[in-house]
Amino acid sequence: LFGRGFYLIPYALAGFWIRFVVLLPLTILICRLYTDYSICTIKKCKSRCNTLYTYLTTGVEMNLEKRDPELEDIRLQKYLALCSLGSRRDCEKLIEEGRVEVDGALASDLGIRINAYEQKVKVDGSRVRPELEKVVLALNKPKNVLSAMEDKSSRLTLSDILTYKSKARLFHVGRLDYDSEGLILMTNDGALANRLSHPRYGVEKNYMVFLNRPLPQNVASMLVSRGVLLEDGWQKFDKIRILRQGSHKCEVMVSLHSGKNRIVRRVFA
């Protein structure tokens, strides 16, 4: 508090032998410890200031001593997904449309990799950063609502029925048909959306199907073991269970991890 000179006062007031034998070594030791502590405090303060500066300029709290290796060498579309700009496929479209810049240069290659700690990424001229607060909402989509955030034809969309207000840029995980209803997740977490929607992770989705005809048990078993041939290849369900069956209708629960468009309706068409 008083500086190093404070510790020299007892040394100046004491007698010669007490100065030389006792206080001199003690004063040297105290000054050395004080100096080491001051240097250590300055280093810690400098490290914290650098970390804070990095946080303010990038939007990500990046520890200078322990960085996330994934962010040091990450594909551009994956980084954009972490910035809550949509799924990786949506982010690839942004790159293909020429709306993404890296360090002021237009990014047109889908294979480009960046260092999030050192490079600046902009979309439509505005810098993008991963959002620290992750939001996940469960929305019950009714019929006649489009699984999109906007529509050129002015149809009702998810953003129109979403009452939750957030500063985060939300997008939907997967899609439901316009005529279908059920659970759809809304989030700003691109990594979570990719984990839930990409077929390689094997996350099952359950669908309740109402048929206007009975479904024989052997046909249901065939849909799981073999599948059916559609215009874009063979498709089969992971599981199928007949809940109710009558002479002119049937209720079926099917499970699958495929993300192909309108797959359930096309199988039962």
Side-chain angles (χ1 to χ4, degrees), residues 78-96:
K78 184 176 181 180
Y79 177 77
L80 294 176
L82 292 176
C83 295
S84 305
L85 295 176
S87 65
R88 291 194 194 180
R89 181 176 297 180
D90 295 332
C91 294
E92 288 177 355
K93 292 181 180 179
L94 293 176
I95 299 174
E96 292 173 344

mmCIF file of all heavy atoms in Angstrom, residues 78-96:
data_model
loop_
_atom_site.group_PDB
_atom_site.id
_atom_site.type_symbol
_atom_site.label_atom_id
_atom_site.label_comp_id
_atom_site.label_asym_id
_atom_site.label_seq_id
_atom_site.Cartn_x
_atom_site.Cartn_y
_atom_site.Cartn_z
ATOM 1 N N LYS A 78 -19.738 -24.741 -40.597
ATOM 2 C CA LYS A 78 -19.970 -25.182 -39.225
ATOM 3 C C LYS A 78 -19.888 -24.002 -38.269
ATOM 4 O O LYS A 78 -20.676 -23.889 -37.320
ATOM 5 C CB LYS A 78 -18.947 -26.250 -38.833
ATOM 6 C CG LYS A 78 -19.186 -26.834 -37.446
ATOM 7 C CD LYS A 78 -18.217 -27.953 -37.152
ATOM 8 C CE LYS A 78 -18.480 -28.546 -35.765
ATOM 9 N NZ LYS A 78 -17.537 -29.647 -35.444
ATOM 10 N N TYR A 79 -18.947 -23.094 -38.526
ATOM 11 C CA TYR A 79 -18.832 -21.902 -37.691
ATOM 12 C C TYR A 79 -20.083 -21.031 -37.816
ATOM 13 O O TYR A 79 -20.586 -20.501 -36.825
ATOM 14 C CB TYR A 79 -17.592 -21.111 -38.083
ATOM 15 C CG TYR A 79 -17.425 -19.822 -37.308
ATOM 16 C CD1 TYR A 79 -16.955 -19.834 -36.007
ATOM 17 C CD2 TYR A 79 -17.745 -18.597 -37.888
ATOM 18 C CE1 TYR A 79 -16.813 -18.663 -35.281
ATOM 19 C CE2 TYR A 79 -17.605 -17.414 -37.168
ATOM 20 C CZ TYR A 79 -17.132 -17.452 -35.871
ATOM 21 O OH TYR A 79 -17.000 -16.293 -35.166
ATOM 22 N N LEU A 80 -20.592 -20.902 -39.039
ATOM 23 C CA LEU A 80 -21.812 -20.116 -39.249
ATOM 24 C C LEU A 80 -23.001 -20.741 -38.518
ATOM 25 O O LEU A 80 -23.869 -20.032 -37.998
ATOM 26 C CB LEU A 80 -22.112 -19.998 -40.747
ATOM 27 C CG LEU A 80 -21.095 -19.198 -41.575
ATOM 28 C CD1 LEU A 80 -21.461 -19.254 -43.047
ATOM 29 C CD2 LEU A 80 -21.015 -17.759 -41.104
ATOM 30 N N ALA A 81 -23.038 -22.082 -38.492
ATOM 31 C CA ALA A 81 -24.101 -22.762 -37.753
ATOM 32 C C ALA A 81 -23.990 -22.478 -36.257
ATOM 33 O O ALA A 81 -24.998 -22.301 -35.570
ATOM 34 C CB ALA A 81 -24.055 -24.261 -38.019
ATOM 35 N N LEU A 82 -22.765 -22.407 -35.740
ATOM 36 C CA LEU A 82 -22.557 -22.060 -34.337
ATOM 37 C C LEU A 82 -22.978 -20.625 -34.049
ATOM 38 O O LEU A 82 -23.303 -20.287 -32.911
ATOM 39 C CB LEU A 82 -21.090 -22.249 -33.952
ATOM 40 C CG LEU A 82 -20.568 -23.690 -33.936
ATOM 41 C CD1 LEU A 82 -19.073 -23.707 -33.624
ATOM 42 C CD2 LEU A 82 -21.320 -24.536 -32.923
ATOM 43 N N CYS A 83 -22.972 -19.799 -35.091
ATOM 44 C CA CYS A 83 -23.410 -18.408 -34.953
ATOM 45 C C CYS A 83 -24.914 -18.271 -35.095
ATOM 46 O O CYS A 83 -25.426 -17.149 -35.268
ATOM 47 C CB CYS A 83 -22.699 -17.532 -35.991
ATOM 48 S SG CYS A 83 -20.911 -17.414 -35.762
ATOM 49 N N SER A 84 -25.620 -19.405 -35.089
ATOM 50 C CA SER A 84 -27.093 -19.412 -35.125
ATOM 51 C C SER A 84 -27.657 -18.860 -36.427
ATOM 52 O O SER A 84 -28.672 -18.158 -36.435
ATOM 53 C CB SER A 84 -27.661 -18.632 -33.934
ATOM 54 O OG SER A 84 -27.149 -19.129 -32.726
ATOM 55 N N LEU A 85 -27.006 -19.182 -37.543
ATOM 56 C CA LEU A 85 -27.497 -18.752 -38.846
ATOM 57 C C LEU A 85 -28.254 -19.865 -39.566
ATOM 58 O O LEU A 85 -28.549 -19.739 -40.747
ATOM 59 C CB LEU A 85 -26.336 -18.265 -39.711
ATOM 60 C CG LEU A 85 -25.626 -17.001 -39.203
ATOM 61 C CD1 LEU A 85 -24.440 -16.663 -40.091
ATOM 62 C CD2 LEU A 85 -26.579 -15.835 -39.139
ATOM 63 N N GLY A 86 -28.550 -20.937 -38.860
ATOM 64 C CA GLY A 86 -29.281 -22.042 -39.448
ATOM 65 C C GLY A 86 -28.491 -23.330 -39.395
ATOM 66 O O GLY A 86 -27.422 -23.412 -38.764
ATOM 67 N N SER A 87 -29.012 -24.357 -40.050
ATOM 68 C CA SER A 87 -28.295 -25.615 -40.137
ATOM 69 C C SER A 87 -27.085 -25.464 -41.053
ATOM 70 O O SER A 87 -26.919 -24.443 -41.717
ATOM 71 C CB SER A 87 -29.226 -26.708 -40.666
ATOM 72 O OG SER A 87 -29.611 -26.415 -42.011
ATOM 73 N N ARG A 88 -26.248 -26.489 -41.088
ATOM 74 C CA ARG A 88 -25.069 -26.415 -41.959
ATOM 75 C C ARG A 88 -25.478 -26.297 -43.425
ATOM 76 O O ARG A 88 -24.816 -25.610 -44.195
ATOM 77 C CB ARG A 88 -24.189 -27.656 -41.746
ATOM 78 C CG ARG A 88 -23.521 -27.693 -40.393
ATOM 79 C CD ARG A 88 -22.428 -28.719 -40.365
ATOM 80 N NE ARG A 88 -21.994 -28.997 -39.003
ATOM 81 C CZ ARG A 88 -21.045 -29.853 -38.690
ATOM 82 N NH1 ARG A 88 -20.414 -30.519 -39.649
ATOM 83 N NH2 ARG A 88 -20.695 -30.068 -37.441
ATOM 84 N N ARG A 89 -26.553 -26.969 -43.779
ATOM 85 C CA ARG A 89 -27.021 -26.872 -45.168
ATOM 86 C C ARG A 89 -27.468 -25.450 -45.485
ATOM 87 O O ARG A 89 -27.164 -24.918 -46.565
ATOM 88 C CB ARG A 89 -28.169 -27.853 -45.399
ATOM 89 C CG ARG A 89 -28.698 -27.834 -46.822
ATOM 90 C CD ARG A 89 -29.767 -28.878 -47.024
ATOM 91 N NE ARG A 89 -29.258 -30.216 -46.845
ATOM 92 C CZ ARG A 89 -30.008 -31.313 -46.972
ATOM 93 N NH1 ARG A 89 -31.294 -31.197 -47.270
ATOM 94 N NH2 ARG A 89 -29.480 -32.506 -46.793
ATOM 95 N N ASP A 90 -28.160 -24.820 -44.537
ATOM 96 C CA ASP A 90 -28.566 -23.427 -44.735
ATOM 97 C C ASP A 90 -27.349 -22.518 -44.860
ATOM 98 O O ASP A 90 -27.331 -21.584 -45.672
ATOM 99 C CB ASP A 90 -29.450 -22.959 -43.576
ATOM 100 C CG ASP A 90 -30.772 -23.706 -43.511
ATOM 101 O OD1 ASP A 90 -31.242 -24.169 -44.575
ATOM 102 O OD2 ASP A 90 -31.333 -23.834 -42.410
ATOM 103 N N CYS A 91 -26.330 -22.785 -44.044
ATOM 104 C CA CYS A 91 -25.110 -21.966 -44.073
ATOM 105 C C CYS A 91 -24.321 -22.185 -45.363
ATOM 106 O O CYS A 91 -23.676 -21.263 -45.870
ATOM 107 C CB CYS A 91 -24.247 -22.288 -42.857
ATOM 108 S SG CYS A 91 -25.018 -21.803 -41.290
ATOM 109 N N GLU A 92 -24.375 -23.390 -45.901
ATOM 110 C CA GLU A 92 -23.726 -23.649 -47.189
ATOM 111 C C GLU A 92 -24.379 -22.831 -48.295
ATOM 112 O O GLU A 92 -23.705 -22.341 -49.207
ATOM 113 C CB GLU A 92 -23.779 -25.136 -47.512
ATOM 114 C CG GLU A 92 -22.845 -25.981 -46.644
ATOM 115 C CD GLU A 92 -22.978 -27.461 -46.930
ATOM 116 O OE1 GLU A 92 -23.873 -27.843 -47.733
ATOM 117 O OE2 GLU A 92 -22.203 -28.258 -46.374
ATOM 118 N N LYS A 93 -25.696 -22.665 -48.201
ATOM 119 C CA LYS A 93 -26.390 -21.843 -49.195
ATOM 120 C C LYS A 93 -25.949 -20.386 -49.095
ATOM 121 O O LYS A 93 -25.817 -19.705 -50.120
ATOM 122 C CB LYS A 93 -27.905 -21.960 -48.996
ATOM 123 C CG LYS A 93 -28.472 -23.340 -49.328
ATOM 124 C CD LYS A 93 -29.978 -23.363 -49.117
ATOM 125 C CE LYS A 93 -30.549 -24.736 -49.450
ATOM 126 N NZ LYS A 93 -32.031 -24.785 -49.228
ATOM 127 N N LEU A 94 -25.723 -19.918 -47.868
ATOM 128 C CA LEU A 94 -25.241 -18.545 -47.696
ATOM 129 C C LEU A 94 -23.901 -18.346 -48.390
ATOM 130 O O LEU A 94 -23.658 -17.317 -49.031
ATOM 131 C CB LEU A 94 -25.110 -18.219 -46.205
ATOM 132 C CG LEU A 94 -26.400 -18.149 -45.385
ATOM 133 C CD1 LEU A 94 -26.075 -17.908 -43.918
ATOM 134 C CD2 LEU A 94 -27.316 -17.058 -45.910
ATOM 135 N N ILE A 95 -23.026 -19.351 -48.280
ATOM 136 C CA ILE A 95 -21.712 -19.268 -48.920
ATOM 137 C C ILE A 95 -21.850 -19.306 -50.431
ATOM 138 O O ILE A 95 -21.221 -18.524 -51.156
ATOM 139 C CB ILE A 95 -20.805 -20.415 -48.424
ATOM 140 C CG1 ILE A 95 -20.595 -20.296 -46.904
ATOM 141 C CG2 ILE A 95 -19.460 -20.394 -49.137
ATOM 142 C CD1 ILE A 95 -19.846 -21.462 -46.300
ATOM 143 N N GLU A 96 -22.683 -20.217 -50.925
ATOM 144 C CA GLU A 96 -22.874 -20.352 -52.370
ATOM 145 C C GLU A 96 -23.504 -19.099 -52.977
ATOM 146 O O GLU A 96 -23.257 -18.779 -54.143
ATOM 147 C CB GLU A 96 -23.745 -21.575 -52.655
ATOM 148 C CG GLU A 96 -23.064 -22.905 -52.324
ATOM 149 C CD GLU A 96 -24.019 -24.078 -52.461
ATOM 150 O OE1 GLU A 96 -25.252 -23.838 -52.513
ATOM 151 O OE2 GLU A 96 -23.546 -25.230 -52.508
#
